[in-house]
Amino acid sequence: MESRSPRRWWILVVLCLSSLVLVIDNMALTVAVPAMTEDLGASAHDMQWILDSYVLVFAGLLLTSGSLGDRFGRRRVMLIGLLLFGAASLAGTFAANPAEVVAVRVAMGVGGALIMPSTLSILITVFDEAERGRAMAAWSSVSMLGLVGSPVLGGVLIDHFSWHAIFFLNVPVVVLAVVAGLTLMPESRAPWQKADPLGAVLSAAGMTALVWWIIDVPQHGAFSGRQLPALAAAVVTLAAFVLWENVTESPMVPLVLFRHRNFSGGSLSLALVQIGNGGLLLVLTQYLQFVLGYSAVKAGLAFLPLAVTALTGNGIGIKLAARIGHRFVILAGMLVMVACFALLTTVGADSGFAVPAVALGLLGLGAGLAMPAAVAALMGTIPADQAGVGSALNDTIQQAGTALGIAILGSLLTSGYTDRMPSGAPAAARESIAGAFATARPDLLRTAREAFASAMTTTFALSALGVLAAAVLATVMMREAKPAEPAAAEPAAAEPAAAEPERQPEPAA
């Protein structure tokens, strides 16, 4: 029993704050899209890169940063990431054009890549399997509160100040997380092993090329002359990475984890969920503000059903997982999410908010049930000495799914909207609904609203299929029904494994 950290629940507070800053930034930025588009004179392509430049760098560096955390100290890497993220956010308050905002987002992506793997890896080393489910649910609940609360707060800041305040919003959270991390959290790292610089270079280059290709698909097509070099680079470097990791004596990434059905099934099903979710909240934010005419604050408040039901789902999921195991909780949650997307396919320009409100409630309930259970199940298969890079591997797969979902759904939404707009409309109005509003032509606004709502329902139909595929995959591949019971029966075996990295700073020095 002594191996459990007596400050583990305080450490969880630090981890929640660290992940909260990432959620706050990405979600608050969605409500700022209309204001940024107008103030910066940004095109739809500019806004896509403002949003996606973060994902590009974040996904490209996750595996490398997870390995750095295992090697040099997870707390140290997380704190460096927080400081970089906070400094970049502060710089964002002075950005005056799209290029400067993209540069800020790139720096924030580097900081985020250092933060994210460390939070999950520290969580699984501090909490043994008997307590990990509760810790994971609390961590997910805080993230969900940030997911919904940040658009509301962001809307207030935009209404009273400007979109620049969205970036400043991160700064106090970063300061609090750094102070708490320094005072409450012990250092943890894996036993020393030889570095794998070639693996780090190949993984970063391969993931960056892949996400670059995915992001550019809506603009230039999947196999255009511009796209083929990026796709070829991604395929070659990632194939070389897999081959190298299987032959080197000290691989950076434990690909052997994919032999565990829970890890492979959980990671791949979560990736499919991310593809299905894609730009869901971004699309709905635009629907609320452009089609329904909501202010930024009102659009943020509209996501409250998502927060309330997600917290409810988390609480129910913990109890259900203890009784029937993770697999069926994941299945139930994902099927509820499918119902959400199916309901959203019925939304039109004149539907109002009633249907989206019910759908958001279903999405929160389903995600609250499924996501913590899936993450807890797959993280339970990762050895404590590979916690950082193992969690980074899962994060990377999900980020690739997110980028792919945004690219696919964004492409469908854009092309569907353009096809439904009159051929004689101005180019800006046919490119995006924001462009239609910028023309200030009343005769175009009704058509633009109807075109956007119609195109939106097509993307949600594809989202429903993606999440349904994830539900089937998780049910077929995952196996461990009640992971918490063996830990309760054999605490002596579980606890040293969970706490082992905390007792091993000396070998790494």
Side-chain angles (χ1 to χ4, degrees), residues 57-68:
V57 180
F58 184 78
L61 294 179
L62 272 172
L63 291 178
T64 301
S65 65
S67 177
L68 290 174

Side-chain angles (χ1 to χ4, degrees), residues 11 17 43 45 78 103 109 115 141 144 165 171 206 208 216 234 271 301 318 361 508:
I11 293 171
L17 285 171
S43 66
H45 190 59
M78 186 183 75
I115 296 168
S141 297
M144 188 60 67
V171 177
T208 300
D216 236 16
L301 290 171
I318 296 172

